Every structure is written in C-alpha cells, then in structure tokens.
Amino acid sequence: MNPQSGIYNIKRRACVTCTKAKCKCLPQTDNLCQRCARLGKQCVYLDLPERKRKRKDDDSRVGVLESKIEELTAQLVALRNGVNNHNGTASSSTIGTASTSISGTASSTEPSSVTDSVPEDSYGDAEPLDAEEPEPEGYHGREPPTTSVLEGISDIVDRGFLSIHEAETYVAQFKSRFVWNFPFVVLPPSQTADMLRKQEPLLFLAVIAATIPSAHAIRKLLADEIMQHITSRIVASSERNLGLLRALLVLCAWYRYPSQRGNVQLVLLLDLCVNMVHDLRLHRLKGELTTDQQRALLGTYWAATCLPRTIDRPTAMRRNKKIDECCQNMATSTEYPSDRCIRPLIVTQSFICSIDSSYKEFAELGADASSQEESSIKLMVGANLRHFESLKATLETELSKCPNSVTNIFHCNMHYINIAIRDLALDDEYISYQSRHAFAYSRSAQSFKTSAFRCSLLWHLLRHTKGLINAYIDIPDDELPQVTIFTMAQICASLVILPRSVSALLKLIVGKHSRTSIPDNVLNEAKAVVDEADYLNLVVRLYDRLRLLIVGLSGQEKGLDVIGTLCCHMSVLASWYAPRVKGILGIDLVSKSPLAAMTPPSIAISDIIAANANANAATLMQQAANQNVDGLVPVGEQQQVFGSYTGAEDGSYLFSDELWSTVLESFSSFG
C-alpha cells in the first residue's frame, strides 16, 4: 500500500499455520513459507497494519480535521436555524424558533413557546448533531417540522373578505368579553389583530370565528380556511406548538359551525387538543411552565372532561399533580383579571368527575349485599352533597371577584352539579344512561325505584334542571354570544333530563293503578308534577332566547348551525312531551302552550325521529302479537308492566319507554 493514501504500510508476518504452531516462518515464495511447503499445508498470510510510532505532526493533523468538522457542523446548524453565518461559527439560536428548511419551506409564524422556555433535552427532540447521547435503539423517522406549510399564503384580510378594522373590532371583543367565559386562552392588550394574524394565523381565525355573528357572509369561508390549517398543518405536516393548541381550544369553546350529527367534528377537535398536550408534554414537564402553557393545559383538561359527559363519550384526560399545581398557580396569578376564574372552573369540573367515578365504582361492585343497595346510594348522595356544600362556600368567595357574566354561567354550573349528584335516579328512563352507570337490576334495585328516597331525588332533578334553563334565560342579550358550547351542552342535557324526571315521577305516582281507574287524589298529585315542570312554556321561553343567536339565517343555514339545529330538535322534543304524559296517565294533563310560535322542525330531523319511532313501535307491536296468538291484549285485560304503556281509546295508540328513549336519543345528538 502506498503510504500517501492515508493507510498504514502492510508488513508480511508469519503465516497462520506457523503462528498457531509457534514456529519460525521462513518465506519460500511470495505466498508460501518453507515449513508449509515441506509439510504440504495451506499457507495463508494475514495482512496486518504496521504499528507506527506516533509522530509530532499527527497532533496538528488531527486538530485540523476536528476544526473542519466543527466548522461544517456549525454551518449545518446555521442552515437549519435560518442564520446566514459567513464566518462559519455556530449559531446561538435554539431549535424550535422560526427557521427556513433546506427544502425551501418558509419559516413558521407560530414559534413554540414550549421549546423556548424548556431545555431541549427535557423533550427528547434535540437535533442528533447536538445530542451528547446516541439515539435510542429503535429510533426512526424524521423530526416533526418547526416550520409552517401555509406560511406566506394570503389570509381572509389579504384577500379582502374581512377588513382590518373589522378584525380589530372582533379581536377587541374577544379580549374584553369572550375571555371571561373561557379564561384559558388570553391575548395581551398590546397584541393587535394585524400582529395576531401574522404571528398566530390559526388562532386569529379561531378568534374571528368565535366572535362574528352567525349570519356573517364569510362564515363558511372562515370554516373552510380553519380546516385547511388543521388538515395541512396539524394532520398532514404534524406541526406541534403552543399557538396551535390555543387555537384549537378557542375553536372548541365556541364551536358553532358546521353542525354535525353526533358532534363528530367537535369531538375530533377535542381529541386533537389532548393529543397536542401529550406531544408537547405539558402534563409531565419538570419545572415551571409559562402561564400560557399552564392555561392551555388546564383548558384542555376542562374541555376534555366537560363535553364527553353530556354526549356520553369517554373522558380522554385525567387530573394529575401537574394540573393541580397549575390550578394553584393560576389562583394566585395577577397577570390577567380573567385568571381568577380558572380555579373555580377546574374545581367544579373535577368534582363532577369524582361524582361519576364514585358511581361507576359502585356499579362495578355489583351490590352483592342487595339489601344494602338503597342505603349505599343514600350514603353516596349524602357524601357528595356535603362535599358540594363545603365546596360551594369557597367558590362563592372566589366568584365574588368576578363580573356578573361569569356569575351567571356559574349559576348554571351549580345547578348542573346538583343534577350530576342525583341523576342516577333516572337509570330506567334513558337507555344510553345505563351505559354510564349500568346498575344491576337486583331485588333491592327494584325497591329503590319505588322508594320515597328516589322520589325525592327526582323532585330535586326536576327543580335543578328547570333552574339551569331559567339561569340561561336570565342571561342578558349582549352576553348570550359569549356562552361556550359547554354550557350549551348542559342546556341540552337539562332539556332531556327534565321530561325524564317528570316521566319517572308520574310512573311512581300512578304505581300499579290501572289507567282507567286512577283515583282523583293521585291525578291531583300527578297534575302538581306537570304544573311544577311547566315544560312546554319553559321550552318556548328558551327558544325565544336562542333565536337571538340565529337571526338572519335561512332554514337551510339553521341546519348547519349548532344553535339552529338545537332549536329544531327542541320543537320536536316538545311535541312528544304531551303524548308521553298521556301515555302514562291516560288523560292529557299538559296545558296548552304557544308552540305554534316556534319555527317548525326541519323535515329531515322530524323524519329521522319519526322513522325511528315507527320502527320501534312496529317492533313492539310484533312482540306483543307473538305473546298472544289472538293479537294484542285488550286494554282492560293487559298485564301490568312497570314502565310500559300500550293501547289507546282508538286501539292504535302505542307509546312505550322504548319509544320515548328513541326520542331522547335523537335529541341528544344536537350538534
């Protein structure tokens, strides 16, 4: 080998055979030694590098190579960080700031404050060239991008769909009024609309979407632009930063368009929030988070636990020590006035989660000691009520520092907590409810259904659901647009729970009396329940308030708006209330109400409910026919079945618990 090639000279040493035998190896030819030739063995030589003495000039040569490597590394880091380093020195910019990628992607306008405030090694996402430790075994793939694929694209202001003056007005409204109902995303007073749309474009779009009226001309365009950001940046490009998380939270809080059956898009946005919290590791980072990070973490927890309960979805996030730590920090924060509202929101929602958890554990036990089941329910309800009373005293002190708009919403929350404590009394009135609590139908469970204690729970449910709806009705007109989707979900739940409570109470009152021979005193008691609920008039009053939010929308546009579809469903639900009462009592005790003033329900919605109801009715009639070869059992000879009401004066009426559950299930998917 040539020494100038950079590889050491090769020296002929003893062959393998002579080395093993520890014998002297004398070469006979180039590839054969004398011993192997004499013994007839294969002669193999190994080319081993010659050991060279270290020369003085080697140190200088290694130093030159090291300096070149350092220079190349610094230039590569400079390229990644968008720094034009003519001298070849290393850039001091941290990874995660706005940068220009080698492929020409423009720099991000939403730098991650997570990576700015926390050392890179705490995330495990430092660049491989900068890492002191080798990559873990199994590492594959590229790093998530720190640049935005939509950078430089003109927005709704650039294209003239919204003037900068209008944008400033909407952003100012968000800062001063909207933030109080959802204090987890705040904007600095000095941040203008122009700054916001350049620094955090998705958050800018989310703020505009939350504050513009429902009938605004750019509403659909705005929704399409928002989804372009979500699909292109978050889904396709896997962008992750605090600005995107804050934007998603605002979108969830004031979600109105498009309305989808089963709340599909809203649930998807909530899941994206939870996933981004985990990707940014906000729930487990060591050390202090920034205040914006703490608000985002708490807001995600609150949103991820509020809505799933009302739409019968599993909760995607649980409370942990980091959440408790951030909650306590926000309780003492003076950065923004709205920070004082955060702790009451988190505490109340955490208490509701603990209620559901305790009832779920009770259901999983199976209540083997069946004779103790009713007493166990009394103990749980009593314990939760005592805890709530102590909690309410603390909350009232904190709420006294908040404006009236926040107090109005908390009145709704207080009623909702009372509902959550007692709603296990409705386990036989709503099919999907059983999937959450799943109480076994033991002998003591049947005893609880007819007990005075359950009757008391139902009366409280009736009054608190009515109180929650009235609390919303009392909100001033100018504050209605600021109410979040989470409060609207509570309203929707109350519109279902109230008629369920009435239905359950009426069945308890009627008991085993035949519908044709109910005593007058029993009818008077039933009438008192119907009058106390005053359900239809309550629905009309609520509908009049909700109409303020959909002024200017056409019939088709109402079907694409959450509040619009809620109004349509309300009229359908109200139309089934009187038949339900009549199905239980046999007479019509529901007073007439101005339902004609309500907008007729959407044909599509009413057709869906009617089709489900007719299908259930046909099934039940077929089951009844199979039980009696002569057809349906006459009304006077029916076997009394608790909770089932079939047959009417004209022989064609059929209204059962299953049919009622179908109506309620259809209403529950309001969005």
Side-chain angles (χ1 to χ4, degrees):
M1 283 287 184
N2 190 348
Q4 278 76 20
S5 64
I7 302 176
Y8 295 130
N9 288 325
I10 303 300
K11 180 181 179 181
R12 178 55 55 85
R13 297 191 178 189
C15 69
V16 175
T17 304
C18 293
T19 301
K20 289 182 179 179
K22 297 183 179 180
C23 297
K24 187 175 182 181
C25 182
L26 298 175
Q28 180 171 318
T29 61
D30 289 341
N31 295 313
L32 182 66
C33 69
Q34 296 179 7
R35 184 173 178 273
C36 289
R38 186 178 73 252
L39 298 176
K41 295 185 177 182
Q42 183 179 8
C43 188
V44 178
Y45 287 92
L46 296 179
D47 294 332
L48 298 176
E50 179 185 359
R51 294 182 181 178
K52 296 179 65 177
R53 292 183 180 181
K54 187 175 182 180
R55 296 184 302 180
K56 293 183 180 180
D57 59 347
D58 285 344
D59 292 336
S60 61
R61 182 170 175 272
V62 171
V64 171
L65 292 175
E66 289 180 346
S67 64
K68 287 184 177 181
I69 292 174
E70 290 176 358
E71 182 178 353
L72 291 173
T73 302
Q75 291 176 359
L76 180 58
V77 172
L79 283 174
R80 288 178 175 172
N81 290 316
V83 178
N84 186 13
N85 195 336
H86 298 287
N87 297 325
T89 56
S91 171
S92 61
S93 301
T94 57
I95 298 170
T97 58
S99 63
T100 303
S101 66
I102 298 176
S103 60
T105 306
S107 61
S108 172
T109 58
E110 294 182 6
S112 171
S113 57
V114 175
T115 53
D116 290 341
S117 61
V118 184
E120 292 173 351
D121 56 0
S122 66
Y123 294 93
D125 59 358
E127 293 291 338
L129 288 176
D130 298 335
E132 297 181 0
E133 297 294 332
E135 292 293 344
E137 185 177 355
Y139 171 82
H140 65 281
R142 61 184 182 183
E143 292 288 336
T146 58
T147 59
S148 173
V149 296
L150 296 182
E151 172 65 16
I153 296 179
S154 57
D155 61 5
I156 56 176
V157 175
D158 293 327
R159 301 199 300 272
F161 293 105
L162 186 73
S163 68
I164 192 63
H165 176 72
E166 285 182 286
E168 291 288 359
T169 301
Y170 292 134
V171 171
Q173 287 180 6
F174 182 86
K175 291 179 183 178
S176 61
R177 309 188 70 178
F178 280 73
V179 72
W180 287 100
N181 283 356
F182 192 76
F184 305 105
V185 178
V186 292
L187 302 178
S190 60
Q191 190 172 35
T192 64
D194 192 54
M195 293 168 58
L196 181 62
R197 73 186 185 94
K198 293 178 180 177
Q199 295 169 355
E200 299 181 88
L202 182 56
L203 180 56
F204 168 74
L205 295 174
V207 168
I208 299 300
T211 52
I212 66 169
S214 298
H216 200 287
I218 68 166
R219 194 182 191 202
K220 184 181 184 305
L221 174 68
L222 192 60
D224 293 341
E225 190 122 340
I226 287 171
M227 289 312 300
Q228 182 185 5
H229 274 264
I230 292 175
T231 54
S232 300
R233 301 178 61 187
I234 300 176
V235 179
S237 299
S238 302
E239 290 184 38
R240 297 293 185 269
N241 58 61
L242 185 62
L244 292 175
L245 175 58
R246 281 154 46 92
L248 290 174
L249 288 173
V250 173
L251 289 173
C252 291
W254 287 280
Y255 185 88
R256 290 280 301 276
Y257 182 94
S259 174
Q260 292 180 331
R261 189 171 181 82
N263 309 281
V264 176
Q265 190 172 102
L266 177 57
V267 173
L268 175 61
L269 292 175
L270 282 174
D271 289 341
L272 287 176
C273 290
V274 175
N275 289 333
M276 195 165 293
V277 162
H278 283 263
D279 291 339
L280 297 177
R281 303 187 183 185
L282 298 183
H283 65 303
R284 58 185 295 183
L285 283 178
K286 296 180 180 179
E288 190 74 16
L289 300 179
T290 67
T291 53
D292 279 339
Q293 291 169 350
Q294 294 182 61
R295 293 186 193 96
L297 174 62
L298 295 175
T300 304
Y301 167 75
W302 189 72
T305 53
C306 274
L307 192 66
R309 186 182 195 275
T310 57
I311 61 176
D312 196 28
R313 294 264 188 161
T315 301
M317 193 170 183
R318 294 185 178 181
R319 182 176 174 179
N320 58 17
K321 292 182 179 179
K322 197 68 177 180
I323 291 175
D324 290 338
E325 175 188 331
C326 294
C327 184
Q328 192 61 36
N329 292 340
M330 287 294 101
T332 57
S333 173
T334 57
E335 185 176 6
Y336 295 101
S338 57
D339 287 344
R340 67 180 73 126
C341 304
I342 292 180
R343 184 181 179 276
L345 285 171
I346 298 298
V347 169
T348 53
Q349 187 55 39
S350 178
F351 179 58
I352 292 176
C353 291
S354 69
I355 294 172
D356 288 340
S357 177
S358 64
Y359 290 165
K360 182 179 179 181
E361 291 176 1
F362 174 75
E364 290 174 349
L365 291 176
D368 295 331
S370 58
S371 61
Q372 302 294 322
E373 185 170 329
E374 183 178 342
S375 61
S376 298
I377 294 176
K378 287 183 178 180
L379 288 174
M380 287 192 303
V381 172
N384 286 326
L385 286 174
R386 287 190 295 273
H387 187 185
F388 177 53
E389 288 301 321
S390 62
L391 183 66
K392 186 162 60 173
T394 304
L395 292 176
E396 288 175 351
T397 302
E398 297 182 11
L399 290 175
S400 62
K401 305 174 184 178
C402 298
N404 291 335
S405 60
V406 177
T407 306
N408 293 334
I409 297 300
F410 266 94
H411 286 161
C412 295
N413 288 341
M414 296 300 102
H415 285 297
Y416 191 71
I417 291 177
N418 277 289
I419 294 170
I421 293 174
R422 298 174 172 90
D423 68 354
L424 56 83
L426 295 170
D427 64 302
D428 67 328
E429 276 294 310
Y430 193 29
I431 292 176
S432 71
Y433 180 84
Q434 297 175 16
S435 65
R436 186 163 75 229
H437 293 300
F439 284 104
Y441 285 95
S442 63
R443 185 174 301 174
S444 68
Q446 293 292 339
S447 175
F448 168 70
K449 287 182 180 181
T450 57
S451 66
F453 177 64
R454 183 180 179 230
C455 185
S456 173
L457 294 179
L458 291 171
W459 266 108
H460 281 91
L461 275 175
L462 186 154
R463 286 167 178 160
H464 282 293
T465 50
K466 185 178 177 181
L468 194 156
I469 297 172
N470 281 325
Y472 178 83
I473 292 174
D474 293 338
I475 295 176
D477 293 356
D478 59 342
E479 295 178 10
L480 289 178
Q482 301 145 33
V483 177
T484 65
I485 190 67
F486 309 110
T487 300
M488 296 310 305
Q490 293 178 0
I491 297 295
C492 183
S494 299
L495 285 170
V496 173
I497 294 174
L498 180 53
R500 286 168 57 196
S501 303
V502 172
S503 175
L505 278 170
L506 293 180
K507 288 193 293 184
L508 282 175
I509 292 170
V510 172
K512 295 183 178 180
H513 293 289
S514 171
R515 292 194 313 151
T516 57
S517 59
I518 299 177
D520 290 341
N521 62 326
V522 174
L523 285 178
N524 291 334
E525 190 175 353
K527 188 175 186 306
V529 172
V530 174
D531 291 343
E532 175 67 22
D534 196 22
Y535 183 64
L536 295 185
N537 286 317
L538 191 67
V539 169
V540 172
R541 291 174 57 211
L542 177 61
Y543 179 83
D544 288 338
R545 302 294 291 154
L546 293 176
R547 281 197 305 178
L548 298 176
L549 300 174
I550 55 175
V551 173
L553 293 182
S554 64
Q556 184 179 7
E557 290 170 337
K558 288 177 183 177
L560 297 174
D561 183 89
V562 170
I563 305 301
T565 56
L566 177 57
C567 290
C568 294
H569 281 73
M570 284 169 57
S571 59
V572 174
L573 182 62
S575 67
W576 287 88
Y577 179 68
R580 175 61 171 173
V581 173
K582 185 176 180 180
I584 297 173
L585 302 176
I587 61 174
D588 189 5
L589 289 183
V590 179
S591 59
K592 301 299 180 181
S593 61
L595 290 178
M598 299 176 63
T599 300
S602 167
I603 295 177
I605 296 174
S606 59
D607 285 348
I608 291 172
I609 295 180
N612 292 338
N614 291 335
N616 278 357
T619 302
L620 293 173
M621 292 179 69
Q622 183 62 42
Q623 292 174 353
N626 293 337
Q627 294 173 2
N628 191 301
V629 294
D630 296 327
L632 290 175
V633 181
V635 176
E637 300 177 10
Q638 286 185 37
Q639 180 183 2
Q640 182 64 34
V641 180
F642 188 79
S644 180
Y645 310 95
T646 58
E649 289 75 12
D650 59 2
S652 62
Y653 184 80
L654 179 68
F655 202 109
S656 64
D657 287 348
E658 289 80 4
L659 187 60
W660 180 236
S661 295
T662 299
V663 178
L664 300 179
E665 288 280 9
S666 299
F667 179 79
S668 64
S669 57
F670 70 99

